[in-house]
Amino acid sequence: MSDEIKTLQEQQLWTGNYYNEDMGSRDGLLDKLGEECGVFGVYGHSEAASLSYYGLHALQHRGQESAGICVADGDSFKYHRGMGLVKEVFNNDNLTTLSGANSISHVRYSTAGESKLANAQPLVFKYRGGDLAIATNGNLTNAAEVKRKLEDMGSIFQTTSDTEVVAHLIARSKHTEIELAVKEALLQVEGAYAFLFLTKDKLVAALDPHGLRPFVMGRLGNAYLFASETCAFDAVGGTYYRDVIPGELLVLDAKNGLIEDRFSPIKQRAICSMEYIYFARPDSDMDSINIHSARKRMGKQLAQEAFVDADVVTGVPDSSISAAIGFAEQTGIPYELGLIKNRYSGRTFIQPSQELREQGVKMKLSAVRSIVAGKRVVMIDDSIVRGTTSLRIVNMLREAGATEVHVRISSPPFMNPCYYGIDTPDRKELIAAQKSIEEIRVAINADSLYFLSKEGLLNSIGRPKGDVNQGNCTACFDNMYPTRITEESEVGCGCD
């Protein structure tokens, strides 16, 4: 695991092994948003399984619940899946059994479907066309209604994952060519998705018509690569080739090479804003926009919108460090490592009392007393979800001797749940949906509080406006969802 560090300020970016296994909402300790999922695909490389292992490791921040790799050698499938981190699921013994030149792989963080091995991806099926494996990042907002129709027609589901809905649609298609069956299936589903499909001799990639989820194509020699983020290409020595276009269907086989096709016209582009704010690794690029640079611009914009006279700027590790650096550069207030994350605290599954659960926060994050004592501190964070974490961190800084704590958030107030693959609480649990900014300030015990404006966020991200191929999804801030949202969507929201 590489931990390349260019400057002390950027140390906490932790680009070599950047994931938030202990910052999610699962253990009830902290109220960060839950990660999404990550996909990685290889076509035409003799070491496809090994490349997948390293690619998944680079995408570990997108899901720590399960991992899986499926490999095809032209005649048969071999696959291995397990619960836990990539390094826990795979070893030399099981990787050497996965021989073949084509593969799809997955790391999962479930927000729809139970946390169990049966839901670990890639999901592998047998149907009249042979073996089929599917891996996806995202969420189908109409999965419940499609599943109900399929069950009425006799389909029997083996998992609680909405990815299986697509497999049943493919199996029911009258088309014998997998790419035609996939097209037919995708036209019947709605939502956010980046799909990888694998047969014994073909690999198919598809992105939803709005491009809500990130999806990129790379090259390694003559091989083709697919990934949720460009950082995965760096991990395997590959190079970024281009983004997968919304509504695009890419087919790779030995006879035709790469076929660039479509299953849908592009709809208004709406890539997830939270990718830029929080989820993606800072060394990844999305639409040629570097994540670290975009977050620094958010911090600079935040300083312009809400300057406060202070002695030190610090960021909440890890995803807020870039914005904190930008805020410090814009204001001239020194940036310091006022908060340190313990990377070896592990997961806190066993917590027999509320008192010990509270103590768990301090196990994972601590204030540097010599940095903040007697200082007016600006604490930069990327979002406030329930508010409980912000309160604990503000109090932690005060206990370490900070005389003032001014909180600056590098995103607008998070007021609406996501139905596109992010694990978010119900609206009634989102503090910004229930309280005014002043009420939130009081609730988190801050001396002042400011959220980045939506316009400031979009300007900081830097995507061109007025073009159907550009644009961001901002539904979690403004309730403007780019796709149809039903009551069933609200019940079953989440990744796969």
Side-chain angles (χ1 to χ4, degrees):
M1 294 181 290
S2 174
D3 197 4
E4 300 293 326
I5 301 171
K6 295 181 179 179
T7 68
L8 177 62
Q9 287 184 335
E10 293 178 342
Q11 180 173 353
Q12 287 181 292
L13 292 179
W14 203 27
T15 57
N17 192 15
Y18 177 90
Y19 64 93
N20 295 301
E21 66 167 48
D22 54 359
M23 296 296 281
S25 59
R26 282 299 167 92
D27 60 9
L29 285 176
L30 300 178
D31 61 328
K32 288 293 185 184
L33 301 173
E35 293 84 341
E36 302 169 309
C37 294
V39 295
F40 188 80
V42 180
Y43 184 87
H45 196 286
S46 59
E47 299 293 329
S50 294
L51 293 179
S52 296
Y53 173 82
Y54 290 110
L56 289 184
H57 201 279
L59 298 173
Q60 185 74 86
H61 60 288
R62 301 189 70 87
Q64 300 91 50
E65 201 162 86
S66 65
I69 299 173
C70 180
V71 177
D73 60 10
D75 296 315
S76 62
F77 267 18
K78 302 178 184 69
Y79 65 94
H80 181 76
R81 302 173 301 176
M83 303 301 290
L85 303 176
V86 175
K87 65 182 179 181
E88 298 167 346
V89 173
F90 295 100
N91 53 48
N92 286 333
D93 291 339
N94 56 43
L95 278 174
T96 55
T97 67
L98 303 177
S99 59
N102 308 326
S103 70
I104 63 173
S105 52
H106 189 267
V107 286
R108 182 174 190 258
Y109 181 94
S110 70
T111 59
E114 299 172 73
S115 174
K116 60 182 183 180
L117 183 58
N119 287 332
Q121 296 191 27
L123 296 180
V124 180
F125 307 92
K126 286 187 178 294
Y127 77 118
R128 70 177 186 281
D131 291 321
L132 173 67
I134 307 177
T136 185
N137 167 32
N139 178 62
L140 304 180
T141 54
N142 69 333
E145 64 180 81
V146 176
K147 181 179 180 181
R148 186 173 61 250
K149 292 176 182 178
L150 288 168
E151 288 175 330
D152 289 343
M153 292 187 288
S155 292
I156 299 174
F157 284 78
Q158 303 298 316
T159 75
T160 57
S161 164
D162 64 15
T163 305
E164 190 179 356
V165 168
V166 176
H168 281 272
L169 292 174
I170 291 172
R172 286 183 171 275
S173 173
K174 295 180 180 179
H175 296 292
T176 56
E177 294 293 321
I178 184 63
E179 54 267 42
L180 297 178
V182 167
K183 280 186 180 181
E184 182 180 320
L186 295 183
L187 288 173
Q188 299 177 67
V189 298
E190 301 170 1
Y193 51 83
F195 270 111
L196 285 173
F197 303 89
L198 185 69
T199 68
K200 66 179 182 178
D201 56 4
K202 291 184 180 181
L203 189 151
V204 179
L207 180 65
D208 73 80
H210 290 282
L212 281 150
R213 297 269 69 84
F215 205 22
V216 286
M217 186 194 314
R219 298 300 303 271
L220 179 60
N222 294 323
Y224 287 88
L225 308 173
F226 295 90
S228 295
E229 294 184 35
T230 59
C231 64
F233 300 153
D234 298 330
V236 301
T239 57
Y240 165 80
Y241 183 61
R242 71 172 177 86
D243 282 42
V244 180
I245 300 169
E248 189 171 35
L249 189 83
L250 301 174
V251 184
L252 284 155
D253 64 29
K255 179 181 178 180
N256 301 298
L258 175 65
I259 300 175
E260 299 172 320
D261 198 0
R262 304 197 63 79
F263 68 91
S264 169
I266 298 177
K267 299 181 181 179
Q268 180 59 52
R269 187 71 193 275
I271 190 169
C272 174
S273 294
M274 290 305 296
E275 292 284 355
Y276 292 94
I277 296 166
Y278 173 68
F279 284 113
R281 254 176 53 161
D283 53 335
S284 287
D285 295 336
M286 290 186 180
D287 280 1
S288 301
I289 298 171
N290 174 253
I291 298 300
H292 169 61
S293 298
R295 290 175 185 167
K296 280 187 68 175
R297 290 193 294 271
M298 293 174 202
K300 289 176 179 287
Q301 181 66 32
L302 193 55
Q304 294 173 14
E305 293 184 12
F307 172 81
V308 60
D309 192 16
D311 302 308
V312 63
V313 176
T314 194
V316 178
D318 283 303
S319 55
S320 303
I321 302 301
S322 299
I325 293 171
F327 191 99
E329 288 183 0
Q330 182 67 32
T331 60
I333 301 171
Y335 170 87
E336 294 286 355
L337 297 178
L339 292 165
I340 299 294
K341 181 178 175 182
N342 179 5
R343 308 192 186 287
Y344 305 100
S345 61
R347 297 173 177 174
T348 49
F349 289 122
I350 302 174
Q351 292 154 346
S353 69
Q354 178 63 29
E355 182 179 352
L356 288 180
R357 282 193 289 270
E358 296 285 342
Q359 184 65 26
V361 177
K362 295 182 179 180
M363 288 174 55
K364 297 175 180 181
L365 200 67
S366 60
V368 183
R369 182 174 297 274
S370 61
I371 295 297
V372 303
K375 304 286 181 62
R376 299 168 297 170
V377 178
V378 180
M379 186 191 92
I380 308 293
D381 205 354
D382 51 68
S383 58
I384 296 180
V385 183
R386 293 182 177 91
T388 54
T389 299
S390 298
L391 171 61
R392 291 165 184 165
I393 298 175
V394 169
N395 286 342
M396 187 184 300
L397 289 168
R398 293 193 187 281
E399 290 168 7
T403 58
E404 298 176 9
V405 181
H406 301 274
V407 177
R408 297 293 182 267
I409 306 299
S410 59
S411 67
F414 201 104
M415 303 178 69
N416 308 288
C418 176
Y419 305 116
Y420 301 124
I422 297 175
D423 184 15
T424 55
D426 294 336
R427 187 175 279 106
K428 65 179 180 294
E429 296 181 59
L430 296 170
I431 191 170
Q434 307 300 322
K435 297 179 182 293
S436 67
I437 292 177
E438 173 59 18
E439 288 172 332
I440 298 173
R441 181 197 68 77
V442 172
I444 66 173
N445 195 27
D447 289 283
S448 68
L449 171 66
Y450 188 89
F451 292 84
L452 183 63
S453 66
K454 188 178 84 168
E455 188 64 26
L457 169 67
L458 297 177
N459 288 338
S460 300
I461 292 172
R463 293 171 58 79
K465 300 176 183 178
D467 185 338
V468 71
N469 296 317
Q470 305 299 332
N472 287 77
C473 177
T474 55
C476 50
F477 311 127
D478 58 19
N479 204 34
M480 297 175 64
Y481 295 95
T483 70
R484 180 176 65 104
I485 300 298
T486 66
E487 288 186 8
E488 288 180 318
S489 301
E490 297 182 11
V491 170
C493 67
C495 181
D496 61 281

